[in-house]
């Protein structure tokens, strides 16, 4: 089995479709791959050429909408990844983590950004005792959490 990974590309995570054991997504450092035959063959999904941050399938939507995040955007597909539409593009930050969940009350999307200096500005007061490198390390591992709740329509 060959996944067609680039020379320096590696898999960051796996995401399986809980309603169809044949379908698995592989988030890589260069995009999103999909198999529909339990990993025997893989295809690279168009429009997903950036490093994958997270993927989620809304099992309760009529189209089983696939949400996918990169550092620069959150996109979605209503056709199993054949094409994607941009849902959100942050203007001055990058997306560091992405997750989502769905229940009968609606869909929740959440991501952490890379604005460590803003979110953890409290660390600057310790520069003299910790050293600037330690403060920078706090900033590099900190950010704001953004949550958006989409209420289910009955």
């Amino acid at each position: 089995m060959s996944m067609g990974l680039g020379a320096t590309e590696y898999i960051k995570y796996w995401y399986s479709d809980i309603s169809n054991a044949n379908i698995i997504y592989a988030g890589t450092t260069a995009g999103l791959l999909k198999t529909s035959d339990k990993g025997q063959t893989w295809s690279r999904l168009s429009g997903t050429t950036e490093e994958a941050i997270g993927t989620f399938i809304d099992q309760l939507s009529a189209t089983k909408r696939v949400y996918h995040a990169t550092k620069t955007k959150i996109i979605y597909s209503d056709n199993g990844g054949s094409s994607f539409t941009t849902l959100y593009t942050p203007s001055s930050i990058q997306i560091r983590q992405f997750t989502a969940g769905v229940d009968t009350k609606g869909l929740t999307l959440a991501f952490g950004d890379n604005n460590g200096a803003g979110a953890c500005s409290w660390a600057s007061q310790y520069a003299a005792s910790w050293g600037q490198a330690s403060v920078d390390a706090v900033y590099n591992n900190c950010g704001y959490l953004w949550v958006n709740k989409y209420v289910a329509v009955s």
Side-chain angles (χ1 to χ4, degrees), residues 11 19 23 27 32 34 41 44 48-49 52 76 81 85-86 91-92 100 117 119 122-123 126 135-136 140 144:
I11 296 168
S19 66
I23 298 175
L32 188 63
K34 178 185 178 181
T41 59
R44 186 171 299 279
T48 65
T49 57
Y76 68 90
T85 301
T86 300
S91 59
S92 61
W122 57 265
Y126 298 104
V135 171
D136 290 344
N140 290 337
Y144 289 103

Side-chain angles (χ1 to χ4, degrees), residues 51-104:
E51 180 178 353
I53 301 298
T55 303
F56 176 75
I57 302 171
D58 180 354
Q59 297 288 340
L60 298 182
S61 69
T63 61
K64 289 179 54 174
R65 181 174 278 186
V66 177
Y67 292 90
H68 178 69
T70 68
K71 289 181 180 180
T72 62
K73 62 189 171 191
I74 298 172
I75 57 180
Y76 68 90
S77 173
D78 285 323
N79 53 23
S82 294
S83 62
F84 284 87
T85 301
T86 300
L87 175 68
Y88 175 72
T89 304
S91 59
S92 61
I93 58 166
Q94 287 188 337
I95 298 169
R96 189 182 303 198
Q97 302 101 6
F98 172 80
T99 192
V102 66
D103 62 19
T104 57

Side-chain angles (χ1 to χ4, degrees), residues 4 9 11 17-18 21 24 38-39 41-42 45 50 52 77 85 88 92 99 101 104 108 122 125 146:
E9 182 180 12
I11 296 168
D17 184 336
I18 62 170
I24 304 169
K38 296 184 180 181
T41 59
W42 291 87
L45 301 182
E50 298 177 60
S77 173
T85 301
Y88 175 72
S92 61
T99 192
T104 57
T108 300
W122 57 265
Q125 67 185 319
W146 300 78

Side-chain angles (χ1 to χ4, degrees), residues 104-137:
T104 57
K105 295 181 182 178
L107 170 74
T108 300
L109 303 177
F111 71 88
D113 71 20
N114 68 336
N115 184 2
C120 294
S121 59
W122 57 265
S124 64
Q125 67 185 319
Y126 298 104
S129 58
W130 293 0
Q132 190 58 46
S134 294
V135 171
D136 290 344

